[in-house]
Amino acid sequence: MPRYRPIHASNFERSGVWSRLDEEQREAIQVVAQVLPFRSNEYVVEQLIDWRRVPDDPMFQLTFGQPGMLDEADYLQMRDLWRNRAEAAVVRRAADAIRRRLNPQPGGQVESNVPRLEGRSLPGLQHKYRQTVLFFPAKGQTCHAYCTYCFRWAQFVDLPDMRFAAPQSDDLVAYLEAHPEVTDVLITGGDPLIMSSAVLRRYLEPLLSDRLAHVRNIRLGTKSLAFWPQRFVSDGDADDLLRLCDEVVARGRHLAVMAHYSHPLELSTPVARRAVQRLRQSGAEVRLQAPVVRHVNDDSAVWAELWSTAVALGIVPYYLFVERDTGPKRYFEMPLARAFEICRHARRQVSGLARSARGPVMSAHPGKVRILGIEEVAGERVFVLDFLQARDDAWVGRPFFARFDADATWFDELQPAFGEERFFFQAGPGAGLRIRALPPILATSI
Ligand SMILES: *Cc1c(COP(=O)(O)O)cnc(C)c1O
Ligand code: SF4
């Protein structure tokens, strides 16, 4: 039975990866790992990475640090500390200074989304969109491997005040009892499926009580299906996990596994396919989402193959995200216009069943903003956008326009089109006048 074996900074030199890399690549991985968390594992290394294609191989790029992930000056500084075998405290101080410049908490997650109950704020919960509460169980805050583009990276290095996690589910249950409008709980991390099935059961069972009948959908956000599919097939408690899924479904809840797949390679091995099959047999639905990033999946053919392979396995394509404004963003980012073209061309290549993927989507402070198109309207080139989710749900589904910007890579770089001062959802005199002035039929059918 294959055993899970992580590869990280402290065992890297003894791993099977070391002998496959040249001197320069080894050093780069160690230098970057001083700042950004690094973890891969033997399954990824032996079965997903094609070593003849390294360093360009997408799975190598996905889990191993690359020199371009730090600004040149930062890289050189960390390289000197590495070469001079600087003291741990010195390395740490330099690394923390760089980390703080990498926007460790994007989207105002901590300030704006942590809910309160009877005057107390509840760590480990986020409630941003009316129907869905996010829950971060303390024991699920790591992953079987770390994506180099991860927007949760700050949780994996202990920057003080950057971690948020709940020790148990009491607060979650109390909060949900007080909030009958919540229909979905999304258990996330890190990766909740890093937890043993017994621990996961302690978190899930309280959600199945009759008092929480309004919580109809339980979602598990995970990358285990890609990074360690043995979790569902051959791990000691794989069968317990599937039984637990089965019970959730038998109690009348929808169990949605929100699977993070970045590349069709992750669906190519027999164990990866078996994992999906077993999960679906338990009654869970599997949905697929990932960001589009350079060096990994910035190609419409890759997305078309990912979506159509997924559909053939019974997985529903869900979101295609734009990489968030955090961590080594510069290494992975691309203009929004390019992300849109990749998504559009991928969609053209697949049947309607695989066109259920919505995107490209930016999870930004006001909500989840989708790029619907790039068009010329009233003589101006514009991005046509809408909210799929919003802090105020009245904003959802109202197309709005931003001035086209060929270089913009994130929502906050966009300006309103047509010379307006604000977008309709931004407070201020005259906000939203243009859209509100349209007859309702037009406002919804553009
Ligand atoms: C994406 C997201 C959700 C879930 O949104 P759905 O559109 O229902 O999948 C919930 N909360 C937050 C904070 C999110 O970013
Ligand atoms: S699986 Fe998700 S949380 Fe874990 S490293 Fe990757 S992006 Fe981050």
Side-chain angles (χ1 to χ4, degrees):
M1 196 165 49
R3 260 193 43 217
Y4 171 72
R5 288 199 190 84
I7 296 170
H8 39 67
S10 44
N11 68 7
F12 176 53
E13 296 186 20
R14 284 171 277 124
S15 75
V17 180
W18 189 256
S19 59
R20 289 159 154 144
L21 297 173
D22 63 30
E23 228 10 86
E24 214 173 300
Q25 290 168 327
R26 292 172 187 166
E27 185 184 68
I29 288 168
Q30 287 165 309
V31 168
V32 174
Q34 295 178 111
V35 180
L36 296 168
F38 154 53
R39 185 175 169 105
S40 191
N41 70 54
E42 283 193 6
Y43 167 72
V44 173
V45 161
E46 301 298 336
Q47 297 197 45
L48 300 184
I49 294 176
D50 177 353
W51 289 92
R52 290 164 306 185
R53 292 178 60 194
V54 166
D56 299 328
D57 178 84
M59 298 306 296
F60 179 73
Q61 292 279 336
L62 182 60
T63 63
F64 287 91
Q66 312 293 327
M69 289 178 188
L70 298 179
D71 280 353
E72 196 178 347
D74 293 337
Y75 183 82
L76 294 176
Q77 182 198 7
M78 297 312 294
R79 194 191 64 183
D80 287 347
L81 294 177
W82 175 256
R83 287 188 177 169
N84 298 330
R85 296 173 208 281
E87 276 174 50
V90 176
V91 173
R92 166 87 205 215
R93 213 172 312 125
D96 280 352
I98 297 172
R99 288 168 181 156
R100 286 184 198 289
R101 276 185 270 123
L102 295 176
N103 192 18
Q105 285 299 354
Q109 287 180 58
V110 168
E111 319 83 77
S112 342
N113 301 340
V114 172
R116 305 177 74 81
L117 188 66
E118 289 158 9
R120 192 165 60 86
S121 83
L122 307 176
L125 264 65
Q126 283 188 38
H127 192 186
K128 181 171 177 181
Y129 307 130
R130 190 176 153 79
Q131 296 87 356
T132 304
V133 166
L134 306 193
F135 180 57
F136 297 78
K139 292 206 159 59
Q141 298 310 309
T142 185
C143 299
H144 288 106
Y146 295 156
C147 308
T148 39
Y149 58 65
C150 180
F151 71 88
R152 303 246 164 87
W153 64 275
Q155 286 172 248
F156 304 141
V157 294
D158 16 271
L159 281 191
D161 310 326
M162 288 305 168
R163 292 170 71 105
F164 41 90
Q168 71 276 312
S169 59
D170 303 4
D171 280 348
L172 173 66
V173 169
Y175 185 77
L176 292 171
E177 282 179 357
H179 288 270
E181 77 278 16
V182 174
T183 57
D184 290 41
V185 171
L186 170 52
I187 302 176
T188 183
D191 190 331
L193 293 182
I194 200 100
M195 296 191 280
S196 72
S197 304
V199 172
L200 184 62
R201 176 179 290 276
R202 287 212 295 275
Y203 285 114
L204 284 182
E205 268 182 347
L207 301 180
L208 303 178
S209 84
D210 291 340
R211 297 173 61 180
L212 296 183
H214 54 287
V215 179
R216 298 173 144 185
N217 308 313
I218 296 175
R219 311 195 208 176
L220 298 171
T222 185
K223 197 162 173 70
S224 301
L225 279 162
F227 279 160
W228 186 243
Q230 291 80 353
R231 178 73 190 87
F232 309 86
V233 177
S234 55
D235 269 9
D237 65 350
D239 290 348
D240 289 343
L241 174 63
L242 296 169
R243 234 182 330 265
L244 177 60
C245 294
D246 198 76
E247 278 172 46
V248 172
V249 175
R251 299 280 287 271
R253 312 302 172 98
H254 175 64
L255 182 63
V257 175
M258 311 304 288
H260 173 185
Y261 287 108
S262 316
H263 196 283
L265 282 167
E266 294 167 329
L267 283 166
S268 66
T269 63
V271 65
R273 289 164 179 250
R274 183 80 189 118
V276 174
Q277 192 183 36
R278 294 197 86 203
L279 201 45
R280 294 196 63 246
Q281 279 164 357
S282 79
E285 286 295 338
V286 184
R287 290 182 176 76
L288 174 162
Q289 55 187 24
V292 55
V293 290
R294 280 199 296 140
H295 307 288
V296 177
N297 57 18
D298 55 335
D299 178 350
S300 61
V302 166
W303 282 92
E305 193 187 332
L306 176 59
W307 290 336
S308 42
T309 306
V311 166
L313 293 167
I315 302 171
V316 182
Y318 192 61
Y319 280 141
L320 179 152
F321 290 112
V322 176
E323 165 65 353
R324 285 192 90 143
D325 51 342
T326 179
K329 170 171 165 71
R330 226 164 293 161
Y331 185 76
F332 291 112
E333 74 186 358
M334 66 187 76
L336 295 175
R338 173 128 196 273
F340 173 72
E341 288 307 332
I342 290 171
C343 186
R344 190 166 81 90
H345 287 292
R347 197 172 283 130
R348 283 170 49 181
Q349 297 170 48
V350 297
S351 89
L353 294 179
R355 292 184 193 187
S356 52
R358 290 173 299 166
V361 176
M362 291 173 274
S363 249
H365 186 76
K368 276 193 167 65
V369 180
R370 166 172 59 178
I371 304 172
L372 277 168
I374 297 171
E375 292 299 331
E376 196 154 309
V377 176
E380 185 174 335
R381 199 159 164 72
V382 295
F383 285 112
V384 187
L385 308 161
D386 74 345
F387 282 106
L388 294 173
Q389 293 287 354
R391 284 187 183 280
D392 177 345
D393 53 24
W395 303 345
V396 170
R398 293 174 59 176
F400 63 100
F401 305 92
R403 206 186 297 154
F404 179 75
D405 178 343
D407 301 321
T409 60
W410 191 249
F411 183 62
D412 59 12
E413 294 161 38
L414 298 180
Q415 300 297 323
F418 314 127
E420 292 190 346
E421 276 176 32
R422 298 178 185 80
F423 290 115
F424 78 91
F425 52 90
Q426 290 170 328
L433 277 184
R434 178 173 294 264
I435 282 197
R436 273 192 221 121
L438 286 176
I441 186 85
L442 267 181
T444 52
S445 63
I446 294 169

